[in-house]
Amino acid sequence: DAMVIQNPRYQVTQFGKPVTLSCSQTLNHNVMYWYQQKSSQAPKLLFHYYDKDFNNEADTPDNFQSRRPNTSFCFLDIRSPGLGDAAMYLCATSRETGAYEQYFGPGTRLTVT
Amino acid sequence: KQEVTQIPAALSVPEGENLVLNCSFTDSAIYNLQWFRQDPGKGLTSLLLIQSSQREQTSGRLNASLDKSSGRSTLYIAASQPGDSATYLCAVRHGRGNNRLAFGKGNQVVVIP
C-alpha cells in the first residue's frame, strides 16, 4: 500500500498561473518535506514541517509556499510559476528528524508552458 | 556545508557483472546514509539505510558499506540484471543544523543484456 501519495503525478500550468501540488501520508509521521529536483540534478530541499512548525530553507524563493492543515496532508503552492520552476517535486516524510529514515512519494512532474 | 559526490556520473556494465557505486561526503558528523534508486521520471525508492554506528547493510543482491571516518560509502549490486538500470542516489543525514538530507547527483547505471 502506498504510504506517501502525491497528486497529481503530472501537472501542466501556464506561466504565472498559480498551482498547488498535494502530498498525503498514511504513516502518521511528524515531519514532511518538499524537495525540488531538476533534470540530472540532486534533489534540493525547499522546506519542511515538523508537526505544524514550518522550516524554510534560506535559498527557497518566496514564490514557493507550503501549508500543512493536518498531520496527513501537506501542500506546495507556487504562486507565479516561471519556466525555471519546471521540475520534479518530491514529497517525503520521516517519523522524527535526526536518525530516522525518509520515505518518498512518487513525485509530481511540473511543466510550465 | 556537507557535500556529497558520486563518481562516475554514468556507467554501463554487461549483465551478470557486479556493480560498485561510490559515494563520498565531506563532513563525517552524520546520523545516517541512505541509498535510493530513481527510474526515469519517477520518485525515489529507498534501497538501504545505514545508521552512523553501522558498517554495512544488506538486502538481497544489494550490500552497502559505510566508512564514516573517511567519508565514504559503497553500494554493491551482485550479478547485475537489465532491471537494475536506473539512477542510484546517495544521501547523508546531517548530524548538525537542521538534519537535512544532502544528496549526491547520482550514478546513472545501464546494464547491457
Side-chain angles (χ1 to χ4, degrees):
Chain A
D1 291 336
M3 298 183 289
V4 183
I5 302 159
Q6 291 188 244
N7 286 306
R9 297 291 308 279
Y10 302 91
Q11 176 73 57
V12 180
T13 191
Q14 293 178 336
F15 183 94
K17 183 175 180 180
V19 65
T20 295
L21 309 182
S22 170
C23 177
S24 64
Q25 53 131 341
T26 60
L27 298 163
N28 203 34
H29 282 173
N30 280 322
V31 193
M32 295 187 76
Y33 308 81
W34 280 104
Y35 291 84
Q36 179 193 63
Q37 186 183 27
K38 297 186 178 180
S39 182
S40 301
Q41 294 188 19
K44 176 179 177 296
L45 182 65
L46 295 174
F47 25 60
H48 75 276
Y49 272 96
Y50 183 91
D51 194 16
K52 296 179 181 178
D53 184 23
F54 178 69
N55 298 272
N56 199 28
E57 292 298 299
D59 56 355
T60 298
D62 292 340
N63 199 25
F64 291 84
Q65 304 285 324
S66 186
R67 296 169 283 136
R68 188 177 186 186
N70 53 52
T71 300
S72 300
F73 284 86
C74 193
F75 301 99
L76 170 61
D77 300 309
I78 308 176
R79 292 192 296 186
S80 181
L83 298 179
D85 296 327
M88 174 74 84
Y89 289 88
L90 299 166
C91 174
T93 75
S94 64
R95 183 179 299 279
E96 296 285 341
T97 58
Y100 290 86
E101 185 172 0
Q102 287 195 17
Y103 296 83
F104 281 77
T108 295
R109 178 160 297 282
L110 178 68
T111 300
V112 182
T113 61
Chain B
K1 179 186 173 185
Q2 178 73 272
E3 293 189 2
V4 182
T5 304
Q6 294 184 250
I7 296 172
L11 68 158
S12 299
V13 296
E15 182 178 1
E17 268 200 16
N18 297 331
L19 267 167
V20 180
L21 306 177
N22 294 305
C23 171
S24 61
F25 49 95
T26 54
D27 188 345
S28 62
I30 65 170
Y31 274 122
N32 55 44
L33 182 146
Q34 269 181 276
W35 281 95
F36 294 91
R37 170 183 172 138
Q38 186 171 34
D39 293 293
K42 305 293 185 184
L44 304 181
T45 301
S46 181
L47 297 174
L48 291 166
L49 170 73
I50 313 176
Q51 299 293 353
S52 62
S53 58
Q54 298 175 321
R55 296 300 300 265
E56 66 176 351
Q57 281 287 335
T58 298
S59 176
R61 293 185 296 113
L62 276 59
N63 174 276
S65 65
L66 174 63
D67 184 343
K68 200 174 70 163
S69 60
S70 67
R72 294 180 184 177
S73 176
T74 302
L75 178 67
Y76 298 87
I77 303 177
S80 61
Q81 303 169 358
D84 295 328
S85 299
T87 296
Y88 292 84
L89 291 134
C90 165
V92 296
R93 190 76 177 255
H94 288 227
R96 313 184 210 272
N98 66 8
N99 306 140
R100 69 170 65 86
L101 269 182
F103 282 87
K105 291 186 178 180
N107 304 111
Q108 186 177 0
V109 172
V110 174
V111 180
I112 304 164

